[in-house]
Amino acid sequence: MANDGQIRPFLKWAGGKRQLLKEIRRFIPGEFDTYYEPFVGAGAVLFHLRPRQAVISDVNGELINTYCMIRDRIDELIESLSMHRNEREYFYRLRSLDRSSEFESLSDVERASRFIYLNKTCYNGLFRVNSQGQFNVPFGRYKNPKIVNEDVLRRVHQYLNDNRVRILHDDFAAVLTTARKGDFVYLDPPYDPVSDTASFTGYVVNGFPKAEQIRLKLTVDSLTSRGCKVLLSNASTPFIRDLYRDYTMFTLSAARAINSDATRRGKIEEVLVANYV
């Protein structure tokens, strides 16, 4: 593991793992070669482990562009972030950019800056798109959101540059084709919904239906046959428990934090699935 001091996620993310890090840490292998995380999201587990050699990816192109800009153009990104305003009209003007041709003219730094700004100022810090791929979370009305967290951004920048971290934008199965014996793979896919109204897979247009959960399980089988160590997080639903019935499974309790109704943000059961003890 790298010794880069405390690094924490630079985004709030639906399904983020900060609250479960102590539990997840108990199941991390003591030694491994390359770390893989193809559903990296806000990177809570990545930044907690700080592996010296890693491959990270996500299907959300705006997220991956933001990682790349933090790695490659941190000063420009911080300067751009400092120009944003926590104002309703300004928020909706930036939000609407992906509904016009103007979005295509944004630089990579401007896109990353917009992405972080919307995350810090939108309702509950969510990233969600509609069926046209347009960001559609309303203004959060926070009094003083920390749009520019320079210390966190620079720590992430240093970690990504001081270690061998490949940043990809690809399907999980494609990312994992290079994983070999001795590597460790952490999988945190969009969760199987616990009810018809509980699904949150809206950070990509097509979501993550059961067919994708099955394809992921087949990928876990392939990784296992190659000698990779795999740890997977998901909801504790009958479907997931049956799907991974041949693997070791642990149950955790986590707080639901993204429901629009605050009274329904209680504890839910999650599972950790492992192909090792």
Side-chain angles (χ1 to χ4, degrees), residues 13-14 60 126-131 133-137 190 199-208 258:
W13 205 247
N60 188 318
L126 300 182
F127 184 90
R128 184 187 64 204
V129 296
N130 61 22
S131 59
Q134 301 162 341
F135 186 79
N136 66 353
V137 183
S199 177
F200 185 82
T201 56
Y203 65 89
V204 289
V205 172
N206 297 321
F208 206 80
I258 66 171

Side-chain angles (χ1 to χ4, degrees), residues 168-195:
L168 305 177
H169 174 215
D170 211 339
D171 174 76
F172 65 84
V175 172
L176 294 171
T177 56
T178 57
R180 296 292 181 264
K181 183 177 180 179
D183 293 340
F184 172 52
V185 180
Y186 175 60
L187 300 169
D188 185 25
Y191 279 14
D192 185 48
V194 296
S195 69

Side-chain angles (χ1 to χ4, degrees), residues 1-4 50-54 158-166:
M1 306 297 174
N3 185 18
D4 303 305
R50 304 186 301 282
R52 294 193 180 278
Q53 186 163 299
Q158 181 178 353
Y159 167 70
L160 294 176
N161 281 277
D162 288 352
N163 298 280
R164 296 177 61 187
V165 182
R166 292 180 62 204

Side-chain angles (χ1 to χ4, degrees), residues 38-190:
F39 304 94
V40 68
V45 176
L46 170 74
F47 298 136
H48 182 69
L49 295 179
R50 304 186 301 282
R52 294 193 180 278
Q53 186 163 299
V55 179
I56 63 173
S57 182
D58 204 281
V59 293
N60 188 318
E62 293 305 301
L63 172 66
I64 292 303
N65 174 66
T66 302
Y67 272 96
C68 291
M69 292 305 99
I70 291 173
R71 180 192 62 191
D72 300 336
R73 300 170 68 179
I74 185 64
D75 291 330
E76 295 171 70
L77 177 58
I78 289 172
E79 181 180 1
S80 178
L81 282 169
S82 67
M83 299 172 64
H84 292 306
R85 305 190 301 273
N86 182 38
E87 299 172 0
R88 179 184 178 87
E89 183 178 350
Y90 179 84
F91 171 90
Y92 282 110
R93 180 156 60 83
L94 251 64
R95 196 188 79 161
S96 69
L97 287 179
D98 60 9
R99 292 156 171 78
S100 69
S101 58
E102 187 179 353
F103 187 73
E104 300 301 321
S105 67
L106 294 179
S107 69
D108 289 342
V109 168
E110 289 171 331
R111 283 170 48 209
S113 176
R114 172 182 178 270
F115 184 86
I116 294 174
Y117 166 76
L118 292 177
N119 179 265
K120 298 295 186 181
T121 57
C122 73
Y123 178 77
N124 219 21
L126 300 182
F127 184 90
R128 184 187 64 204
V129 296
N130 61 22
S131 59
Q132 286 77 47
Q134 301 162 341
F135 186 79
N136 66 353
V137 183
F139 185 54
R141 295 184 292 181
Y142 301 115
K143 289 184 178 180
N144 189 30
K146 196 161 189 177
I147 298 170
V148 189
N149 196 330
E150 183 170 352
D151 179 64
V152 169
L153 291 171
R154 290 199 181 277
R155 284 178 181 270
V156 173
H157 165 79
Q158 181 178 353
Y159 167 70
L160 294 176
N161 281 277
D162 288 352
N163 298 280
R164 296 177 61 187
V165 182
R166 292 180 62 204
I167 304 174
L168 305 177
H169 174 215
D170 211 339
D171 174 76
F172 65 84
V175 172
L176 294 171
T177 56
T178 57
R180 296 292 181 264
K181 183 177 180 179
D183 293 340
F184 172 52
V185 180
Y186 175 60
L187 300 169
D188 185 25

Side-chain angles (χ1 to χ4, degrees), residues 190-201 210 213 234-241 252 254 256 258-259 264 266-271:
Y191 279 14
D192 185 48
V194 296
S195 69
D196 292 340
T197 60
S199 177
F200 185 82
T201 56
K210 282 183 167 50
Q213 298 284 1
N234 215 313
S236 180
T237 63
F239 173 74
I240 293 298
R241 286 188 169 276
L252 306 178
R256 183 193 302 274
I258 66 171
N259 199 297
R264 300 179 67 183
K267 295 285 186 178
I268 61 169
E269 283 195 346
E270 298 187 7
V271 292

